[in-house]
Amino acid sequence: MSEVRLQIDGQEVTAPEGATVLEAAQGAGIPIPTLCHHEKLEPFGSCRLCTVEVERGGRKQHVVSCVYPVAEGLTVRTRTPEIERIRRVILELYLAHAPEAPRLKALAEEYGANKDRFDKESSFCIHCGLCVRYCAEVKKKHAVGFINRGTKKEVAFVPDIAARECWKCKECFPLCPTSWLQAAYVLVEGILFPREEQRA
Amino acid sequence: MDIARVDQIIDRYGADESYLIQVLLDIQTENNWLPQEALERVAERLRVPLSRILHIATFYKAFSTVPKGRHRIHVCMGTACHVRGAQRVLDAVQEATGIKPGETDLELKFSLETVNCLGCCALGPVMEIDGKTYGKMTPAETAEALRNHD
Ligand code: SF4
Ligand code: FES
Ligand code: FES
């Protein structure tokens, strides 16, 4: 595979063709914040936190670095005032859903996001899809998925599969940026398939 | 719904996973809703994870994962119908059926939904029963139209 040369924050970087801007930056030790990205999973691009500015042929554009492929001669800026603002607003929106999530609070600190900017609507899940994709792509069990759409979209366990598979895995729990997944699982377990010792 | 019937529908499309939505639509049309056993059968035969089928079945309004009545009522609440008295039509339907939008009665006779324009605003206020359009409705005509369904 041929190498592509690009510039990230003023630094000359090479990356294999087909790599994403995020991968190129990580390879060069340049940090870009992410919430929905995971090395073992296909790029998803849902959280938008990894937004960066790219410039090619004099045209500037904001793109999502975890899905945007590198290209020869690309200039990337990972921290401009506009990008900081974009990330701050994204975090403020997420904090309306999960105001106490440690990962979000740490990022909010870094970007000066105000967790009280928007009215609280504690749905906790920020739809990053890590749990759903990890279960499908890595474990190939499909025990958890999304249901409904728009403002009603939520993660849901498929009870039969979850009862059979989840107790011995739970590898998705630590992936969840808001810890909602764990709560959702315990609820489903409590309501739909209480364990033997609890039933007795 | 009979599983053999679900199998027939699946076979119609050669159990090809790219026809998933079509298979679901056919089951929905025939049965008015998508029972769990039917979805499990589709998952097994089309080799599509059940979680993905549930995502699709809950994403599109055309599908229902809870039982629906034999007759589907859609009352248009779009702007044109609204100014022409859609609320009175809706009230008449609720009065006659005892259900609110999104609900189904216990005898599984009617399911009621509101929509936001059926594309024939000149006929407003408009409602549909099982896809048949009823235009320029008055509350009395609404009740009458519902009585003609059993
Ligand atoms: S439950 Fe957690 S991991 Fe799963 S989609 Fe929601 S925020 Fe992401
Ligand atoms: S990490 Fe790129 S969109 Fe979430
Ligand atoms: S608003 Fe009712 S048909 Fe258009």
Side-chain angles (χ1 to χ4, degrees):
Chain A
M1 218 196 283
S2 62
E3 293 277 308
V4 173
R5 277 169 308 165
L6 66 161
Q7 205 189 60
I8 307 179
D9 291 347
Q11 193 175 322
E12 296 297 333
V13 172
T14 56
E17 199 180 354
T20 62
V21 168
L22 177 68
E23 285 162 349
Q26 284 174 339
I30 299 167
I32 296 177
T34 62
L35 278 173
C36 70
H37 176 77
H38 190 291
E39 298 106 69
K40 287 195 190 149
L41 305 178
E42 290 294 315
F44 194 53
S46 78
C47 78
R48 318 313 272 183
L49 203 67
C50 66
T51 298
V52 297
E53 181 186 280
V54 297
E55 184 177 339
R56 194 152 52 152
R59 277 194 52 213
K60 286 183 189 169
Q61 218 185 333
H62 286 120
V63 300
V64 172
S65 64
C66 68
V67 294
Y68 197 83
V70 292
E72 186 68 34
L74 199 68
T75 304
V76 181
R77 291 180 200 91
T78 69
R79 291 199 87 147
T80 67
E82 181 59 9
I83 287 167
E84 307 257 309
R85 193 190 62 84
I86 290 170
R87 292 190 187 146
R88 184 161 64 239
V89 176
I90 291 171
L91 288 166
E92 283 168 344
L93 287 163
Y94 284 149
L95 284 160
H97 291 290
E100 295 303 328
R103 289 250 301 275
L104 296 181
K105 275 166 86 177
L107 283 161
E109 179 100 9
E110 184 179 345
Y111 287 91
N114 169 9
K115 76 175 167 68
D116 298 315
R117 170 151 176 213
F118 297 107
D119 286 347
K120 297 282 168 294
E121 200 187 299
S122 303
S123 55
F124 304 104
C125 176
I126 59 164
H127 300 167
C128 70
L130 282 173
C131 54
V132 173
R133 291 179 292 136
Y134 189 86
C135 194
E137 293 176 31
V138 176
K139 305 300 290 191
K140 304 210 173 0
K141 297 297 183 200
H142 304 274
V144 61
F146 281 117
I147 55 164
N148 298 324
R149 65 169 166 190
T151 54
K152 296 209 171 73
K153 185 175 175 181
E154 59 180 317
V155 295
F157 284 90
V158 180
D160 292 347
I161 304 176
R164 213 167 50 233
E165 306 289 346
C166 296
W167 63 275
K168 56 178 189 252
C169 171
K170 297 185 180 172
E171 286 169 30
C172 57
F173 284 14
L175 300 180
C176 179
T178 70
S179 307
W180 168 243
L181 182 69
Q182 208 162 337
Y185 176 75
V186 173
L187 257 163
V188 174
E189 186 189 47
I191 296 171
L192 294 169
F193 51 89
R195 273 172 301 195
E196 292 301 326
E197 66 267 33
Q198 289 168 343
R199 237 179 273 161
Chain B
M1 190 178 189
D2 192 11
I3 287 299
R5 184 67 197 125
V6 175
D7 277 337
Q8 277 173 11
I9 292 176
I10 294 170
D11 290 334
R12 208 185 275 164
Y13 299 99
D16 180 345
E17 76 159 282
S18 55
Y19 284 100
L20 172 60
I21 290 190
Q22 204 50 52
V23 167
L24 296 181
L25 278 172
D26 285 10
I27 297 173
Q28 173 75 40
T29 310
E30 222 175 278
N31 194 55
N32 282 327
W33 68 292
L34 304 172
Q36 174 88 12
E37 312 80 61
L39 294 183
E40 279 167 6
R41 187 63 169 185
V42 173
E44 183 188 322
R45 295 222 30 222
L46 262 50
R47 297 210 193 86
V48 176
L50 186 60
S51 61
R52 194 142 97 225
I53 295 182
L54 290 171
H55 191 180
I56 293 168
T58 56
F59 187 93
Y60 294 106
K61 282 268 186 81
F63 299 125
S64 173
T65 52
V66 293
K68 284 282 168 185
R70 293 189 298 283
H71 303 295
R72 284 167 307 125
I73 310 169
H74 290 114
V75 177
C76 181
M77 301 302 276
T79 314
C81 291
H82 177 79
V83 297
R84 288 165 179 243
Q87 189 60 50
R88 286 200 301 275
V89 174
L90 182 61
D91 289 345
V93 173
Q94 297 193 34
E95 174 100 348
T97 59
I99 52 173
K100 295 201 207 47
E103 294 179 350
T104 298
D105 64 71
L106 286 175
E107 288 89 52
L108 297 186
K109 187 169 167 189
F110 292 116
S111 291
L112 171 61
E113 296 287 348
T114 56
V115 292
N116 295 320
C117 190
L118 290 163
C120 48
C121 312
L123 292 179
V126 183
M127 73 170 195
E128 271 184 11
I129 305 177
D130 297 335
K132 184 169 181 290
T133 307
Y134 293 77
K136 300 205 158 70
M137 295 305 276
T138 62
E141 285 165 344
T142 304
E144 175 63 26
L146 292 174
R147 262 196 298 280
N148 292 332
H149 290 81
D150 52 28

